Amino acid sequence: MIKLNNIHKKFGDLHVLKGIDEEINKGEVLAIIGPSGSGKSTLLRCINFLEPPCDGDVHFEGKLITKDSKILNSYRQQIGMVFQQFNLFPNKTVLENITMAPILLKKYSTEEANEIGLALLERIGLSDKKNEFPSKLSGGQKQRVAIARALAMKPKAMLFDEPTSALDPEMVGEVLELMKSLANEDVTMIVVTHEMGFAREVADRVLFMDEGAVVESGSPKEIFTCASHPRTIDFLSKVL
Ligand code: ADP
Ligand code: MG
């Protein structure tokens, strides 16, 4: 579904991504782990062109993605993104946060968009919050709304950048449960995470990054029980 071919990213002299080659299959759940500063967020941002790669290609369903606005807009509508800091619109209600993109970008009527939004709110157990503003929600509730907002566009793939890192510990579970239910529905997901339990239990494949490169990738079992690279072993010894 998504094919990355020799992706490089530099910020000035800083060479952050040093040639990433990966393929993500339809329905696959890929967990990306690795130390802080290794380029995980940058890789996600290059995948959806929030940061255009300096070199290399992204293909989506066989099509080359370019900066051409028509190609890029259509591509971005098919890729949902969930951020560490939720990034909800503070001056929109919960329901409006969810319906805004379908109305603006997919030209849905308010009624159609509300129908989708209300069904998603029911799914995430927040129907009673539909008219609240984000400031009235807990962190876990905000993140569930952010996930619902991304899902409202019916994306073909979802990118998650440490979706539970900004949450108080007691709220991590509710967000991981929602992500797990998406994974069980065969949603294609790329998840940057520090939640090793989630990676081990839910991911089809785990990819370890360090210093802008993929050091190794494999099934959760391969990575967590018999990683072969010293840097992976060292990282896991610190986080497990
Ligand atoms: P990770 O998500 O693995 O912690 P990042 O992708 O956020 O790593 O960052 C990798 C490196 O790129 C870091 O050294 C970071 O400071 C740098 N970096 C990320 N984004 C930018 C940017 N927009 N401008 C300059 N440097 C950046
Ligand atoms: Mg990051």
Side-chain angles (χ1 to χ4, degrees), residues 116-127 144 147-148 151 177-185 187:
I116 294 167
L118 292 171
L120 283 165
L121 282 174
E122 176 147 359
R123 166 171 191 173
I124 63 172
L126 292 176
S127 299
R144 280 146 66 203
I147 293 171
L151 290 173
E177 274 308 308
L178 175 56
M179 292 170 63
K180 200 168 144 185
S181 75
L182 297 177
N184 287 336
E185 286 165 22
V187 177

Side-chain angles (χ1 to χ4, degrees), residues 72-89:
L72 201 50
N73 289 341
S74 148
Y75 172 59
R76 286 217 181 108
Q77 288 186 29
Q78 301 180 71
I79 305 279
M81 176 107 178
V82 175
F83 302 88
Q84 189 174 343
Q85 295 295 345
F86 328 125
N87 296 8
L88 294 175
F89 306 110

Side-chain angles (χ1 to χ4, degrees), residues 2 4 24 28-32 44 47 157-161 188-192:
I2 300 173
L4 310 176
I24 297 98
E28 186 173 25
V29 178
L30 176 67
I32 301 179
L44 281 192
I47 291 175
M158 291 275 285
L159 312 181
F160 294 85
D161 193 0
T188 306
M189 295 165 60
I190 305 178
V191 186
V192 172

Side-chain angles (χ1 to χ4, degrees), residues 9-12 14-17 32-45 51 84 161-162 192 194 209 211-212:
K9 183 70 189 178
K10 289 183 186 171
F11 295 108
L14 192 63
H15 200 165
V16 174
L17 296 178
I32 301 179
I33 63 173
S36 185
S38 56
K40 305 180 299 296
S41 296
T42 304
L43 178 59
L44 281 192
R45 297 167 71 82
E51 294 283 1
Q84 189 174 343
D161 193 0
E162 297 196 27
V192 172
H194 288 302
M209 272 183 80
E211 295 181 2

